[in-house]
Amino acid sequence: MASPLRLLSLLTLGYTVAFVALNPGGDPWVLAGVLLGGLGLALTEWAASTFSTSSR
């Protein structure tokens, strides 16, 4: 279960960075929210993947 979660984490991070990079003229509060939300979700997914490997 760790590999799919790590892959999902990297995809989430990639989509977050791509969204912010492709919308430079967007509302700064929206971009900050997307960046913080995406990073938080990616970190949560990564942490869940490390927890799932250590609990075996």
Side-chain angles (χ1 to χ4, degrees):
M1 188 66 173
S3 295
L5 280 173
R6 287 186 180 170
L7 178 63
L8 184 62
S9 174
L10 293 174
L11 285 172
T12 301
L13 186 62
Y15 277 118
T16 300
V17 170
F19 181 85
V20 172
L22 292 175
N23 293 300
D27 183 18
W29 288 108
V30 171
L31 295 177
V34 168
L35 191 61
L36 288 175
L39 288 176
L41 183 59
L43 286 173
T44 302
E45 293 164 350
W46 191 269
S49 73
T50 57
F51 178 73
S52 69
T53 59
S54 65
S55 64
R56 286 185 180 191

